[in-house]
Amino acid sequence: NAAIDGTEFLLTAAAQADELTLFEGRVTADGMPLLPGQSLRVTAGGARELRVAVRSRDGLDWALHYPRLLPGPLGEARALLAAGDVTAAAERAGAVAASDDPALRAEALALAAVIAVAQGALAQAERLSAQAVAAAPQRPNPWLARSYARQAAFDLPGARAAAARAAELAPTDLPTLRLAELELASGDHRAARRLAQAATTGDHAVLALRTLGFADLAADDAPAARRHFEQASAADPLDPLARLGLGLALIRQNRLADGRRQMEIAVSLDPGRSLLRSYLAKAYQAEGRSHPAQVELGRARELDPADPTPWFYQALGLLDDNRPVEARAALEESIKRNDNRAVYRSRLQLDEDLAARQASTGRVYEALGFEQLARREASAALASDPTDFSAHRLLADSYLGLPDHETGRLSELLQAQLWQPLSVLPLQPQARAEDLGIRQGAVSLRSGFDEYTPLFVRDGVSVLGSAVGGGDGLFSDDLVATVLSGPLSVSAAQFRYTTDGFRHNADQDVDLYDLFAQWRVTPDTSVQAEARRSRQERGDIGLYPFDDVDSGTLRRFDDRDTYRLGLRHGFSATNTVLVSLQRQSVHVGLEDSVPFPPIRIDARDRSHPLMAEVQQVLTGARHTWLYGGGYYRANVDRAIDVEVFGFDVGPPPDRLHERQKNGYLYGYIDGLSDSRWTVGLAVDDVQAGAVDKTRVSPKLGVTWALDERTTLRAAAMRAVKRDLIGKGTIEPVQVAGFVQFFDDVVGTRSDRYGLGLDRRLTAGLDAGIEASWRRLETPYLDAVSGAEIGHGRQQLHRVYGYWSPAPRWALRAEYRYQKASYSDEFPLVVETGNWAIFDLRTHSLPLAVRYSHPSGWLADLAVTGYRQSGDYLITTTGGQRHASDGFWLSDARVAYRLPRRLGLVSVGVRNLFDTKVQFQDTDPQHPELYPERLLYGSVSLMLD
């Protein structure tokens, strides 16, 4: 390590006899400058000559950290390897490999295999280790070498099996500790700790202490991890993984600079290991030092071109530098080098790598505005791993803005919370609230974790706050404060939103509060407790195609207190259970009046619903099974006061009883020809109002990679709409990317069929098409005939195209067609209750461009065309009306990302040209248009 003018850097050089090879840094030898990748050779006559190293690793073999084998023959070769003379050691092992003695041949092949593993020659390591096992299957060293080769190839089950066989043949410290390493890498922390604890004082104490340290990190016990890593580093100061672990433990204790220094030492001890450089780069990035981070990642790529880790971390760094197009390219390079399990190329699960999981593809796609790609990636990830919390959260964010997807969005957020590890940035309160009715654009309802997720989880206090102000009396603020200490995370949050609205009586007032705690009892067990309070009041906020149907007197009230308990327990790495308990206190009502005849209406509902759900996930090599069930109970006290000319003519108070039970089974199965199948069966027993039935709902879906650029998706499913607390359930929400739970009337049975095709046309250009149809059977009470069934049909089709023509530009286009048709007996009643929809057809064509500059500036311009026509029933007069309209709306925004991910400042305008519209909101609870010009400004800050 050295420093010049206060700038720290690493210098690694290798001196072998008459040659000096420089790997990084800059050296002048006898006045001759030596650059990285060059060797200075002294000839027999004393002359100096420069040459270019054949590989980026040339001259570093002496510094590599070689996997350990049990003592045995080939003592001379082992001594040469320990002295750094790798060439001579390999030659000696190669000579013995030709021996007629199978045992000697096996030992020589095993030694050659571990050399190949350390040098990154994975194909050679695979071949040599297999030959070693075949030559002497009863000797432990060939099996140890086989375990190193298999782990290097990401085959953790094969590596574990090989290590277990070595431990059977030689039940001593080294094979046992090797097995402990692999148990830890496979997620079995208990077994790893049990195996390692018995060997902390033997010949391989360093390996035992190191394994215990990583197990402590997995248990969020940073002080214990630090003690173990310090002991391991003291016993063997040259062990790079012990230094890396110590760095991670220090960072977990919020000592970022000290942890980064330990990682620099680890790189100095083993400069040829790509993984160490990737973690060092991540530490630099966490310190806001983008340039040295990118330099280290470049060296990591040179050292191991097959390693996905440096590409992945480069993508995150480019995203932080406001270069999302380049970040996507780096991310795709990482994916090419990745497999099902390896998010980064760790020989151990060194930490849970929370940031790498949270800030995955979703951050990049969200930064580009490519929401359909984010939705596709998230649904594919969940088909492979239903426990991936980051995919659940990404999918939830991608549903925002889609009509009638609120149940799906909030269910995905609930599942993301239950599956998440300890987090320093929990959900913002507005993300989990239901039916806010906030018009999108100025105020974000996204989960908010994408922008500010730290690269390392660190103890301490974090504060995330934002404020928005704009026209029509718009003001919003939210604040989230989190304390993280060891295995405990506690956060408190509030959200305030108020607006006068775009017309008389379209005002809104929203207050949300949230208190959340998560305790990781053991590495396998996590418990959560949450309390939420919601207070809302609003007038008639809907958009309508007629000017004379909005209400000037309608007022709605919604007060909810929600209490939630969650439990996640892993019996093993392949067997996990979720439990969710929710209780709510609900008071909702509306008031309305008309002047003549003088009528006043005051309706109130009070209830205290209870909801309990449990789910178990069983994971196999080529399939995952998920099954569970739930129970819901509510008693609704309903009072409707109706006065006409001062006389009460309303019905007497009533109590409604709701009881629901459900069970389900889903299977995610790898099929032939790169296909992934989803099969499922659900049983729902719903007793609520007009419905009292038990229904069976089958599910079937497939995602099929036709080639490396084309994916076909298809699904057919039936679902029953249940009443849910907070509109959230832990039952799977989607099948092959198609949502099955919508914001329908409770008891509605729906059949949905979908077909989609996604295609990468060329680098930076994606397109796709998706079509789906729904058939609805909705129970309702007729005043004369009693319980009846209303029928409806819905269609949702879309075509999209995303293009990144240059490093700073992202263009997106989408065509969406929605159609909803309902029977004459049961039309869809809208916000005011004064009228209903028989048939509604909506075409929309959003076109948008985003410009991102590395300095932090970004700009958005979106132009959206709408064409809508519909047939309506005016319920107050019994007359029918038809309306249609077409128009274009323009939105613009300019923003600046503050350095070091401190926040975002933006100004924008919605409906730039103040276009007047006549439009029926297709989802009144989540409207997307603003019917007049709205100027706004916002600021978000992250402090930790």
Side-chain angles (χ1 to χ4, degrees), residues 322 441-442 451-452 464-469 851 853 855-860 892-909 936-942:
N322 202 38
E451 294 288 343
Y452 310 108
L464 171 62
S466 66
V468 179
Y851 176 80
H853 193 275
S855 64
W857 289 99
L858 62 91
D860 289 301
R893 180 184 69 141
V894 177
Y896 177 69
R897 295 187 188 276
L898 300 176
R900 300 172 63 91
R901 298 195 303 172
L902 291 177
L904 183 75
V905 179
S906 64
V907 294
V909 56
Y936 67 90
S938 68
V939 58
S940 300
L941 295 175
M942 175 66 191

Side-chain angles (χ1 to χ4, degrees), residues 502-503 540 542-551 830 832 834-840 868-875 879-885 917-921:
F502 56 89
R503 65 165 179 253
D540 182 4
L543 267 184
Y544 309 115
F546 308 112
D547 295 329
D548 56 351
V549 296
D550 63 281
S551 173
V830 296
T832 63
N834 296 331
W835 63 319
I837 301 170
F838 283 132
D839 188 84
L840 185 65
Q868 186 183 76
S869 62
D871 298 304
Y872 309 90
L873 170 68
I874 308 301
T875 57
Q880 294 190 21
R881 298 176 70 174
H882 175 82
S884 63
D885 193 12
V917 305
Q918 290 185 314
F919 185 80
Q920 171 63 56
D921 282 325

Side-chain angles (χ1 to χ4, degrees), residues 148-189:
Y148 295 125
R150 285 285 79 210
Q151 188 180 12
F154 301 118
D155 180 11
L156 284 178
R160 184 189 176 282
R165 180 58 178 157
E168 289 177 6
L169 296 171
T172 56
D173 283 355
L174 181 59
T176 300
L177 291 171
R178 175 61 186 149
L179 181 59
E181 279 187 325
L182 291 167
E183 294 286 11
L184 183 62
S186 300
D188 195 340
H189 312 288

Side-chain angles (χ1 to χ4, degrees), residues 228-245:
H228 282 128
F229 287 127
E230 286 176 340
Q231 293 171 11
S233 298
D236 183 1
L238 301 181
D239 187 344
L241 285 180
R243 296 287 185 173
L244 176 61

Side-chain angles (χ1 to χ4, degrees), residues 409-430:
R409 185 180 73 87
L410 292 175
S411 295
E412 291 292 352
L413 282 178
L414 173 61
Q415 294 174 46
Q417 279 189 295
L418 288 168
W419 285 114
Q420 74 181 14
L422 285 180
S423 175
V424 294
L425 283 178
L427 292 172
Q428 293 164 289
Q430 66 269 33

